[in-house]
Short mmCIF file of all heavy atoms in Angstrom, two decimals:
data_model
loop_
_atom_site.label_atom_id
_atom_site.label_comp_id
_atom_site.label_asym_id
_atom_site.label_seq_id
_atom_site.Cartn_x
_atom_site.Cartn_y
_atom_site.Cartn_z
N LEU A 164 16.68 -12.20 -36.46
CA LEU A 164 17.09 -13.60 -36.46
C LEU A 164 15.91 -14.53 -36.68
O LEU A 164 16.09 -15.71 -36.95
CB LEU A 164 17.77 -13.94 -35.12
CG LEU A 164 19.12 -13.24 -34.85
CD1 LEU A 164 19.54 -13.49 -33.42
CD2 LEU A 164 20.17 -13.75 -35.82
N ALA A 165 14.71 -14.02 -36.54
CA ALA A 165 13.52 -14.86 -36.68
C ALA A 165 13.27 -15.22 -38.14
O ALA A 165 13.49 -14.42 -39.05
CB ALA A 165 12.31 -14.14 -36.11
N ASP A 166 12.82 -16.43 -38.38
CA ASP A 166 12.50 -16.91 -39.72
C ASP A 166 11.07 -16.51 -40.05
O ASP A 166 10.13 -17.03 -39.44
CB ASP A 166 12.66 -18.43 -39.76
CG ASP A 166 12.35 -19.01 -41.13
OD1 ASP A 166 12.01 -18.25 -42.05
OD2 ASP A 166 12.42 -20.25 -41.27
N PRO A 167 10.85 -15.60 -41.01
CA PRO A 167 9.50 -15.14 -41.31
C PRO A 167 8.57 -16.25 -41.79
O PRO A 167 7.37 -16.22 -41.51
CB PRO A 167 9.72 -14.09 -42.42
CG PRO A 167 11.07 -14.38 -42.97
CD PRO A 167 11.87 -14.94 -41.85
N VAL A 168 9.10 -17.24 -42.49
CA VAL A 168 8.28 -18.36 -42.95
C VAL A 168 7.79 -19.18 -41.76
O VAL A 168 6.62 -19.56 -41.68
CB VAL A 168 9.07 -19.25 -43.93
CG1 VAL A 168 8.23 -20.47 -44.32
CG2 VAL A 168 9.47 -18.46 -45.16
N ALA A 169 8.70 -19.43 -40.81
CA ALA A 169 8.33 -20.21 -39.62
C ALA A 169 7.32 -19.45 -38.77
O ALA A 169 6.38 -20.04 -38.24
CB ALA A 169 9.58 -20.51 -38.80
N ILE A 170 7.50 -18.13 -38.67
CA ILE A 170 6.57 -17.32 -37.89
C ILE A 170 5.19 -17.33 -38.51
O ILE A 170 4.17 -17.48 -37.81
CB ILE A 170 7.10 -15.88 -37.75
CG1 ILE A 170 8.32 -15.85 -36.85
CG2 ILE A 170 6.01 -14.96 -37.20
CD1 ILE A 170 8.93 -14.49 -36.68
N GLU A 171 5.12 -17.20 -39.84
CA GLU A 171 3.82 -17.21 -40.51
C GLU A 171 3.11 -18.54 -40.30
O GLU A 171 1.90 -18.58 -40.03
CB GLU A 171 4.01 -16.94 -42.01
CG GLU A 171 2.68 -16.93 -42.77
CD GLU A 171 2.85 -16.52 -44.22
OE1 GLU A 171 3.90 -15.93 -44.57
OE2 GLU A 171 1.91 -16.77 -45.02
N ALA A 172 3.86 -19.63 -40.40
CA ALA A 172 3.26 -20.96 -40.18
C ALA A 172 2.76 -21.09 -38.75
O ALA A 172 1.67 -21.65 -38.50
CB ALA A 172 4.28 -22.05 -40.50
N TYR A 173 3.54 -20.58 -37.81
CA TYR A 173 3.15 -20.64 -36.40
C TYR A 173 1.88 -19.84 -36.15
O TYR A 173 0.97 -20.29 -35.45
CB TYR A 173 4.29 -20.12 -35.53
CG TYR A 173 3.93 -19.99 -34.07
CD1 TYR A 173 4.00 -21.09 -33.22
CD2 TYR A 173 3.51 -18.77 -33.54
CE1 TYR A 173 3.66 -20.96 -31.88
CE2 TYR A 173 3.16 -18.64 -32.21
CZ TYR A 173 3.23 -19.74 -31.38
OH TYR A 173 2.88 -19.61 -30.06
N VAL A 174 1.81 -18.63 -36.72
CA VAL A 174 0.65 -17.77 -36.51
C VAL A 174 -0.61 -18.42 -37.07
O VAL A 174 -1.66 -18.41 -36.43
CB VAL A 174 0.88 -16.39 -37.15
CG1 VAL A 174 -0.41 -15.57 -37.14
CG2 VAL A 174 1.98 -15.63 -36.40
N LYS A 175 -0.49 -18.99 -38.25
CA LYS A 175 -1.66 -19.65 -38.86
C LYS A 175 -2.11 -20.85 -38.03
O LYS A 175 -3.32 -21.10 -37.89
CB LYS A 175 -1.33 -20.07 -40.29
CG LYS A 175 -1.19 -18.89 -41.25
CD LYS A 175 -0.89 -19.35 -42.66
CE LYS A 175 -0.81 -18.14 -43.62
NZ LYS A 175 -0.49 -18.55 -45.01
N LYS A 176 -1.15 -21.59 -37.49
CA LYS A 176 -1.50 -22.71 -36.62
C LYS A 176 -2.16 -22.20 -35.34
O LYS A 176 -3.15 -22.78 -34.85
CB LYS A 176 -0.22 -23.49 -36.27
CG LYS A 176 -0.44 -24.65 -35.30
CD LYS A 176 -1.29 -25.76 -35.91
CE LYS A 176 -1.35 -26.95 -34.97
NZ LYS A 176 -2.24 -28.02 -35.50
N THR A 177 -1.65 -21.09 -34.82
CA THR A 177 -2.22 -20.50 -33.61
C THR A 177 -3.66 -20.07 -33.83
O THR A 177 -4.51 -20.26 -32.94
CB THR A 177 -1.38 -19.28 -33.16
OG1 THR A 177 -0.04 -19.71 -32.89
CG2 THR A 177 -1.96 -18.65 -31.90
N ILE A 178 -3.95 -19.51 -34.98
CA ILE A 178 -5.32 -19.09 -35.29
C ILE A 178 -6.27 -20.27 -35.19
O ILE A 178 -7.35 -20.18 -34.58
CB ILE A 178 -5.39 -18.47 -36.70
CG1 ILE A 178 -4.59 -17.16 -36.75
CG2 ILE A 178 -6.85 -18.22 -37.10
CD1 ILE A 178 -4.46 -16.58 -38.15
N THR A 179 -5.88 -21.40 -35.76
CA THR A 179 -6.73 -22.59 -35.74
C THR A 179 -6.90 -23.14 -34.33
O THR A 179 -8.02 -23.41 -33.88
CB THR A 179 -6.15 -23.68 -36.65
OG1 THR A 179 -6.03 -23.19 -37.98
CG2 THR A 179 -7.03 -24.93 -36.64
N VAL A 180 -5.79 -23.28 -33.63
CA VAL A 180 -5.83 -23.88 -32.29
C VAL A 180 -6.58 -22.99 -31.30
O VAL A 180 -7.46 -23.46 -30.57
CB VAL A 180 -4.40 -24.15 -31.78
CG1 VAL A 180 -4.43 -24.63 -30.33
CG2 VAL A 180 -3.71 -25.18 -32.65
N TYR A 181 -6.26 -21.71 -31.29
CA TYR A 181 -6.85 -20.81 -30.29
C TYR A 181 -8.34 -20.55 -30.54
O TYR A 181 -9.10 -20.31 -29.60
CB TYR A 181 -6.10 -19.49 -30.24
CG TYR A 181 -4.84 -19.53 -29.39
CD1 TYR A 181 -4.12 -20.70 -29.24
CD2 TYR A 181 -4.39 -18.40 -28.74
CE1 TYR A 181 -2.97 -20.75 -28.48
CE2 TYR A 181 -3.24 -18.43 -27.95
CZ TYR A 181 -2.53 -19.62 -27.83
OH TYR A 181 -1.40 -19.66 -27.06
N SER A 182 -8.75 -20.55 -31.78
CA SER A 182 -10.15 -20.24 -32.09
C SER A 182 -11.07 -21.45 -31.99
O SER A 182 -12.27 -21.30 -31.75
CB SER A 182 -10.28 -19.62 -33.48
OG SER A 182 -9.83 -20.53 -34.47
N THR A 183 -10.53 -22.64 -32.16
CA THR A 183 -11.38 -23.84 -32.18
C THR A 183 -10.95 -24.91 -31.18
O THR A 183 -11.69 -25.86 -30.95
CB THR A 183 -11.39 -24.48 -33.58
OG1 THR A 183 -10.06 -24.92 -33.91
CG2 THR A 183 -11.87 -23.48 -34.62
N GLY A 184 -9.76 -24.78 -30.60
CA GLY A 184 -9.23 -25.83 -29.75
C GLY A 184 -9.88 -25.92 -28.37
O GLY A 184 -10.53 -24.98 -27.90
N THR A 185 -9.67 -27.07 -27.76
CA THR A 185 -10.10 -27.25 -26.37
C THR A 185 -9.10 -26.58 -25.44
O THR A 185 -8.04 -26.12 -25.86
CB THR A 185 -10.16 -28.74 -26.02
OG1 THR A 185 -8.84 -29.31 -26.12
CG2 THR A 185 -11.08 -29.49 -26.99
N TYR A 186 -9.44 -26.54 -24.16
CA TYR A 186 -8.52 -25.95 -23.19
C TYR A 186 -7.17 -26.65 -23.22
O TYR A 186 -6.12 -26.00 -23.22
CB TYR A 186 -9.12 -26.03 -21.78
CG TYR A 186 -8.14 -25.63 -20.70
CD1 TYR A 186 -7.91 -24.29 -20.40
CD2 TYR A 186 -7.43 -26.61 -19.98
CE1 TYR A 186 -6.99 -23.93 -19.42
CE2 TYR A 186 -6.51 -26.25 -19.01
CZ TYR A 186 -6.30 -24.92 -18.73
OH TYR A 186 -5.38 -24.56 -17.77
N GLU A 187 -7.16 -27.97 -23.24
CA GLU A 187 -5.92 -28.73 -23.23
C GLU A 187 -5.11 -28.51 -24.50
O GLU A 187 -3.88 -28.42 -24.46
CB GLU A 187 -6.21 -30.22 -23.04
CG GLU A 187 -6.62 -30.61 -21.63
CD GLU A 187 -5.53 -30.33 -20.60
OE1 GLU A 187 -4.33 -30.39 -20.97
OE2 GLU A 187 -5.85 -30.03 -19.44
#
Side-chain angles (χ1 to χ4, degrees):
L164 293 171
D166 180 0
V168 176
I170 290 179
E171 181 174 342
Y173 173 83
V174 171
K175 290 181 178 179
K176 177 66 174 177
T177 300
I178 294 172
T179 301
V180 174
Y181 277 30
S182 62
T183 63
T185 63
Y186 171 81
E187 286 297 330

